[in-house]
Amino acid sequence: MPEIRNPNLESQGSGGSGPGGGDFRSLILFTFLALAGLMVYQYFQKPAANAPASQTQNQQAQQQSQQQAVQPPTAAPTQGGGTSSTSIAGPVATVTASSETTTTIENEKFQITFTNKGAQVEHWILKGFTDSSGKPLDMVQQQAASRFGLPLSLFTYDSGLTAQLNTALYQASATGQLLAPNTVSFHYAAGGLDVVKSFSFDTSYVVSVHVDVKRDGIPVRALVAWPAGLGDMEEFLAANGKRTTFLVPTQSQLAWSVDGKQDTMAAKKVSGDATLDQSFEYASVMDLYFAAAFMPEAPSRATVVTIHHTIDLPGDLSDPNSAKKPADVIGLAVGDQSGDTQLRLYAGPKETSILNSIHAIGADGKPTGESLASLIQYGWWGIIAKPLYLALRALHNMMGPGKYNWGWAIIIVTVIFNLVLLPTRIWTMKSSLKMMRIQPRLDGIKKKYANLKINDPKRADMQAEQMAIMKEEGVNMYGGCLPMLLQMPLFFAYYRVLLNAVELRQAHWFWLTDLSMPDPLHLLPILIIGTMFFVQFITPSPGMDPAQRRMMAIMMPAIMGFTLWHFASGLALYWITGNIINVIMQVAINRSKIGKEMHEIALRRAAKKAGNKSGNVSQRVIQGRR
């Protein structure tokens, strides 16, 4: 864990005698132990590819920048944009409220409720979104926030000061109900401490934040925090309300962009109270579908503190008496090294069209930098998942508003994809027919080497002869796997889209109330098992051992059905649509000239095997009579 130093305290010389100075030998010993610990940590833990360097990795530069941030500048900017003298100010007049009040800001996208106690957010309701129980979605995770802090609270390196800033009664510029565009400010002053928190709102999800904290006229590095996760965290939902996130490291993550390079970090890997001073275009806490992203107005002076807590929850949330399990709760605090923090905060859905329109501050000092689109994590399958999402969205928009349109879009894209794959299926059947024609020759070679043991080197000669015949006839023994192999990339791409496209969250399709959640009645997985078994049954499998074929006919449907039993119903809808198309195509192929010839060859082989078996039985009977 990176060392946390208080940039608001002036550093003293190594030979200082006060409690802040320490003795030189102790400092040398501590430094040696810290470096040894760092080397051990780095040896056992491989850092993330593009993770921002921690304070321990840049210790000297961090300490220098923090010490510089402590020293008051020649002229510090005031809230109005002017400058103020750096000399120690006189006593500050007390500014405080007599009682707790609330201020609610509302536009078409959100309803945010502030309390003047700490000038922080109690509720951040996103309009148009609901939680798993059907209530309006609150971005504030109430259970975690009650323990670890509310959004837009302040973080400092002095726990006493932090507590004072987040419990004081601020004077609000307005109370009650307000409509955006609007600005609300909160002011608190007492005992030499002077705090102004201003928030500006427009018609979007973005909120402009300005925080200025001074103590005895000296700027204090106070960071704006989102300390306790997001309101839709499924770690706090019962098991039947969770999504299966196979191949996804965690639902809660930190994401950031430093000097144009984006990366993420899973909740379990986040260090608590780690200070990072780098050029952050944005830093965000997010989950699958929503994010709270801070965008500093001066990225070159940005400072970020990562927050990591755990909260013990019942293993089965529907049973409060079940065994407790720790759940990760992560957050961020973002500010300016100068102590005068100005930033923008996006708190809303991870919707592609919205995130593409929101940009961090660029080199020109304007919002022309990196967009927030990289918050949507498609992973390695992004090369397929992104075009797939765009195709689904285009079809949905073409069909217009409709309750079931996302489901129909999935079906239409699947039909188009399978029609594109039709030539490969026909090619596979032609290859299978050729295999059936040469099967007697392959069996003859197999019979020739029948007396060899499994580990006999001459068995390689048998395989070489069989491969030579197949090459001569243009047969690919793995041709039957081609359609399945081509479907799997789309399968994983659908999976990533359903886990990242907020539009598909709670999208309906008949009895499916949420295409990103498992089928509540499990009808689709049952149909998948049945249709896959039927396709296996009617598809010719030349050269395959009958026992092996029976095993595949049972095992493959069972595996896919069990897998999709717990996965997103939208994924099951894609697979069952493909299965129905496969049944129709296979029936049509079986009735074609190719299919009829394959059927005749199969009947002849079956009759021959039956005759051989009856002949063997007769011979054994005659021998027995003798």
Side-chain angles (χ1 to χ4, degrees):
M1 181 184 298
E3 177 195 3
I4 303 303
R5 298 175 60 86
N6 186 349
N8 299 315
L9 297 177
E10 295 185 13
S11 61
Q12 298 181 5
S14 58
S17 59
D23 105 344
F24 185 71
R25 288 173 297 179
S26 298
L27 179 61
I28 292 295
L29 178 61
F30 176 81
T31 303
F32 173 80
L33 293 175
L35 290 175
L38 175 62
M39 287 188 289
V40 171
Y41 176 82
Q42 289 182 334
Y43 179 80
F44 288 102
Q45 174 121 2
K46 183 179 180 181
N50 294 320
S54 66
Q55 187 175 1
T56 53
Q57 295 169 317
N58 295 289
Q59 189 173 16
Q60 293 179 351
Q62 293 280 344
Q63 290 174 353
Q64 181 180 3
S65 64
Q66 289 174 347
Q67 290 169 1
Q68 291 173 351
V70 173
Q71 304 298 329
T74 303
T78 64
Q79 183 184 3
T83 60
S84 61
S85 172
T86 60
S87 59
I88 303 300
V92 178
T94 299
V95 178
T96 184
S98 59
S99 61
E100 187 172 354
T101 60
T102 60
T103 304
T104 300
I105 310 293
E106 187 172 1
N107 65 15
E108 293 183 353
K109 301 183 183 301
F110 60 66
Q111 184 184 72
I112 304 174
T113 300
F114 284 86
T115 172
N116 70 326
K117 185 177 181 179
Q120 48 198 347
V121 173
E122 286 185 333
H123 299 284
W124 199 303
I125 305 295
L126 296 183
K127 297 182 178 180
F129 297 94
T130 58
D131 60 20
S132 59
S133 62
K135 298 178 182 177
L137 178 63
D138 192 346
M139 288 284 281
V140 181
Q141 214 306 313
Q142 297 295 332
Q143 188 174 350
S146 64
R147 293 183 56 180
F148 309 126
L150 293 168
L152 303 186
S153 56
L154 296 181
F155 171 92
T156 72
Y157 293 86
D158 182 335
S159 59
L161 176 59
T162 299
Q164 181 181 0
L165 292 173
N166 294 328
T167 57
L169 293 178
Y170 290 67
Q171 275 193 0
S173 61
T175 58
Q177 299 282 336
L178 301 176
L179 293 178
N182 219 319
T183 298
V184 177
S185 62
F186 297 87
H187 189 194
Y188 169 76
L193 186 65
D194 193 2
V195 186
V196 177
K197 300 174 69 174
S198 298
F199 308 97
S200 297
F201 309 87
D202 54 24
T203 57
S204 71
Y205 287 102
V206 179
V207 177
S208 295
V209 181
H210 182 197
V211 173
D212 187 19
V213 180
K214 290 185 175 68
R215 185 157 52 184
D216 297 327
I218 301 175
V220 176
R221 192 191 294 194
L223 283 62
V224 183
W226 193 294
L230 301 176
D232 70 321
M233 288 174 59
E234 296 186 359
E235 293 87 339
F236 291 81
L237 299 179
N240 59 0
K242 295 181 180 179
R243 293 166 178 80
T244 299
T245 53
F246 177 67
L247 296 180
V248 177
T250 183
Q251 298 187 29
S252 297
Q253 294 180 309
L254 295 187
W256 62 85
S257 177
V258 176
D259 295 326
K261 297 180 181 179
Q262 298 81 35
D263 209 339
T264 60
M265 182 178 291
K268 291 186 180 298
K269 297 182 179 180
V270 175
S271 297
D273 294 339
T275 298
L276 309 166
D277 288 353
Q278 293 193 42
S279 298
F280 284 90
E281 283 97 9
Y282 67 77
S284 173
V285 55
M286 67 178 190
D287 54 25
L288 295 177
Y289 301 111
F290 299 91
F294 293 94
M295 295 169 284
E297 291 293 319
S300 62
R301 300 196 308 268
T303 181
V304 173
V305 171
T306 58
I307 301 171
H308 187 181
H309 300 287
T310 58
I311 184 169
D312 289 333
L313 297 174
D316 181 3
L317 293 182
S318 60
D319 179 12
N321 297 321
S322 60
K324 302 283 186 178
K325 291 183 179 180
D328 295 297
V329 178
I330 59 174
L332 285 172
V334 181
D336 193 296
Q337 296 176 34
S338 69
D340 183 40
T341 294
Q342 297 186 61
L343 53 81
R344 290 174 298 143
L345 170 62
Y346 172 83
K350 290 163 59 177
E351 187 173 334
T352 300
S353 58
I354 296 175
L355 297 183
N356 277 329
S357 66
I358 300 173
H359 294 262
I361 298 298
D364 56 359
K366 299 178 180 179
T368 56
E370 296 291 329
S371 76
L372 297 184
S374 58
L375 293 178
I376 300 177
Q377 300 289 316
Y378 288 119
W380 289 100
W381 298 101
I383 191 172
I384 304 174
K386 289 181 181 179
L388 175 61
Y389 163 76
L390 294 176
L392 290 172
R393 190 177 69 178
L395 280 170
H396 179 269
N397 293 339
M398 287 173 58
M399 289 185 287
K403 190 175 183 180
Y404 304 141
N405 283 355
W406 281 110
W408 290 120
I410 290 175
I411 292 173
I412 293 171
V413 169
T414 305
V415 170
I416 294 173
F417 181 76
N418 278 271
L419 290 176
V420 172
L421 291 182
L422 180 58
T424 66
R425 181 172 291 277
I426 295 174
W427 175 84
T428 298
M429 295 309 298
K430 289 181 178 179
S431 180
S432 297
L433 177 58
K434 292 179 181 179
M435 176 68 89
M436 295 183 77
R437 288 171 178 170
I438 66 173
Q439 192 62 46
R441 296 169 62 187
L442 298 177
D443 290 341
I445 295 173
K446 188 176 180 181
K447 187 176 182 179
K448 176 181 173 182
Y449 294 91
N451 296 327
L452 297 179
K453 295 181 179 180
I454 295 178
N455 58 351
D456 194 309
K458 291 185 178 180
R459 292 187 70 88
D461 297 335
M462 178 189 73
Q463 295 174 355
E465 290 184 33
Q466 289 179 329
M467 293 299 294
I469 293 175
M470 286 190 286
K471 185 177 181 181
E472 178 185 343
E473 297 295 333
V475 176
N476 186 344
M477 63 182 298
Y478 302 109
C481 301
L482 184 61
M484 177 69 74
L485 291 176
L486 291 176
Q487 287 184 57
M488 292 313 293
L490 192 65
F491 174 86
F492 286 110
Y494 261 121
Y495 174 70
R496 297 301 307 206
V497 168
L498 288 164
L499 277 185
N500 288 277
V502 69
E503 298 93 333
L504 290 168
R505 176 185 179 271
Q506 298 180 350
H508 289 58
W509 193 78
F510 294 98
W511 75 95
L512 304 175
T513 57
D514 189 342
L515 290 175
S516 67
M517 297 285 286
D519 181 349
L521 303 179
H522 303 296
L523 294 180
L524 291 182
I526 293 171
L527 289 174
I528 286 171
I529 294 174
T531 52
M532 283 192 72
F533 178 80
F534 185 65
V535 170
Q536 293 276 351
F537 180 76
I538 66 175
T539 301
S541 300
M544 181 179 290
D545 181 75
Q548 184 181 4
R549 182 184 177 187
R550 284 193 295 271
M551 183 186 71
M552 292 293 292
I554 296 174
M555 291 296 295
M556 284 298 294
I559 291 173
M560 287 303 300
F562 176 78
T563 301
L564 293 170
W565 195 275
H566 303 284
F567 274 48
S569 55
L571 197 62
L573 183 60
Y574 153 68
W575 201 260
I576 188 62
T577 302
N579 280 4
I580 293 173
I581 295 172
N582 288 341
V583 169
I584 296 172
M585 287 183 176
Q586 193 60 53
V587 170
I589 290 174
N590 288 351
R591 294 183 178 180
S592 67
K593 183 178 178 180
I594 295 175
K596 290 179 180 178
E597 184 177 351
M598 294 176 71
H599 183 65
E600 291 173 1
I601 294 174
L603 287 177
R604 288 198 299 267
R605 292 188 62 197
K608 184 178 180 180
K609 287 184 178 181
N612 290 338
K613 288 182 179 179
S614 61
N616 293 335
V617 171
S618 299
Q619 186 175 7
R620 286 197 297 270
V621 171
I622 293 171
Q623 289 175 348
R625 287 178 179 176
R626 288 181 182 175

